[in-house]
Amino acid sequence: MRIITLLPSATEIVAALGLADRLVGRSHECDWPTNLSHLPILTEPKINPQASSAAIDRDVRALMEEGLSVYNVDAEQLKALQPDFIITQSQCELCAVSLSDVQQALVDWTQARPQLISLEPMCLADIGKDIDNCASALGCATEGNTLTAHMDDAFASLRDKTASLSHKRVCFLEWLAPLMGAGNWMPELIELGGGETLSGEKGVHSPVIEWDELVGLDPDFIIIAPCGFDIARTKEEIKAINQMPQWQALRAVQNKQVFIANGNHYFNRPGPRLVESAQIVAEILHPAHFPPQFAPNGWQNMAQG
C-alpha cells in the first residue's frame, strides 16, 4: 500500500495509525513526525510563506479573487510515485492543497487512479469521524477506533479537571493582519482547557475581528497562534501591533496575560495533537493546576521574552 498525504494533519494521522512506513510522498508543510523528511515533496505555495501576515493575506486574496488555487501540485511526480491512496482536504482552500487541486492533477491519468480520501473537519467530532473514515479506507479500522478512543478519553479527562475551575475569558487569535479569531474546533479546545471563547464559534470558520471589537471584548487572556507560524515567527509578527494604543489598552496586555503558542504544530492541525493543544490552553489559563509541560516550545508568555 502506497500513501501520499497532502496536508500535515493527514501525515500525523497516518503515522498515528502505524502506517508511516507506507508513506511515499507529502506536502511542503508536512514536518511531523520528523523522521519523514526524506519523503518527496509534492506541493508548493504560489505565495511567499515567509512574508508578513498582511502580505500573505493580500496575496492569497488576490489569487482567490482570480479563481486560482493557492498551491501547485507536482502532477508528474504524483503520477511517478504510483500511490494507492492520496489524502487531501476540502475544509479550507487557503490552508492546504484542496480536493479540487488533486482532482485537477489527476485529470489526464490513463492508468488506474488512486483512491482519494478527503478530510473536512469543522469541529472535534468531525475530526474523530475523519480519523475513523481514513483508517477504514486504509484497512486499519481497529487502530482508528483505538486512536479516537484515546483522544476522547484524554479530552474527557481534561474536561473533568477544568470543570470546577473558574473559566477565563479568552480571545484566541489565529491571524494578526487582519486579526482573526478562533473558529472551527478552537472554541472546544479553549473550553476543554478551562476558558470561554470571546472571538469565534464552534463549527464555523474563524471570523475577522476589527480592532474596536477586540477593545470592546477586552479579554482577560489573549492566546496568539497564527496558522503555520512557530513561536519565533509570531514574536516577530507581534512587533507590528505591540506599540498600538488599542493593544496597550487591553487588560490582558496590561496584566501580562498575553501568550504565544506554536500555531504550526498545535491548534491548527486537526489531528491527534489537538489533545496536546487543549492541554496547552489549560497550562496557560490555570497554571496553579497544570504544570508547564509544553512550555517553552509549545507556548510562552509574551512578557517573558
Side-chain angles (χ1 to χ4, degrees), residues 158-169:
L158 184 60
R159 182 183 291 107
D160 289 343
K161 293 176 182 177
T162 60
S164 61
L165 303 177
S166 174
H167 279 214
K168 312 298 185 180
R169 299 170 66 254

Side-chain angles (χ1 to χ4, degrees), residues 78-231:
L78 196 69
K79 185 185 300 184
L81 289 171
Q82 299 182 325
D84 299 301
F85 296 90
I86 299 175
I87 307 178
T88 183
Q89 59 89 37
S90 54
Q91 192 261 351
C92 176
E93 293 187 356
L94 308 182
C95 301
V97 169
S98 68
L99 176 61
S100 60
D101 293 331
V102 179
Q103 290 172 330
Q104 182 61 37
L106 301 179
V107 72
D108 63 348
W109 278 34
T110 56
Q111 68 264 46
R113 294 192 178 193
Q115 180 176 338
L116 299 184
I117 303 173
S118 184
L119 311 181
E120 192 175 2
M122 294 297 290
C123 61
L124 289 183
D126 291 341
I127 294 166
K129 291 177 183 176
D130 276 346
I131 292 173
D132 286 338
N133 291 339
C134 187
S136 179
L138 298 176
C140 56
T142 300
E143 289 81 356
N145 291 336
T146 299
L147 177 57
T148 54
H150 168 75
M151 293 176 64
D152 289 343
D153 289 346
F155 286 139
S157 176
L158 184 60
R159 182 183 291 107
D160 289 343
K161 293 176 182 177
T162 60
S164 61
L165 303 177
S166 174
H167 279 214
K168 312 298 185 180
R169 299 170 66 254
V170 180
C171 181
F172 188 104
L173 299 176
E174 68 167 40
W175 202 250
L176 294 174
L179 296 176
M180 295 185 70
N184 299 318
W185 51 86
M186 227 69 79
E188 294 175 277
L189 297 181
I190 293 167
E191 181 181 1
L192 286 165
E196 172 193 354
T197 305
L198 302 181
S199 55
E201 183 180 347
K202 168 188 170 182
V204 179
H205 285 304
S206 301
V208 172
I209 305 174
E210 300 297 334
W211 273 102
D212 288 347
E213 182 181 356
L214 179 59
V215 171
L217 291 171
D218 199 18
D220 300 315
F221 285 75
I222 297 175
I223 301 175
I224 307 171
C227 183
F229 286 17
D230 61 15
I231 289 176

Side-chain angles (χ1 to χ4, degrees), residues 247-268:
W247 179 255
Q248 290 297 324
L250 296 169
R251 81 173 71 190
V253 176
Q254 295 174 356
N255 294 336
K256 303 186 186 307
Q257 298 297 333
V258 179
F259 297 83
I260 298 173
N262 188 330
N264 183 39
H265 281 181
Y266 300 105
F267 295 102
N268 298 292

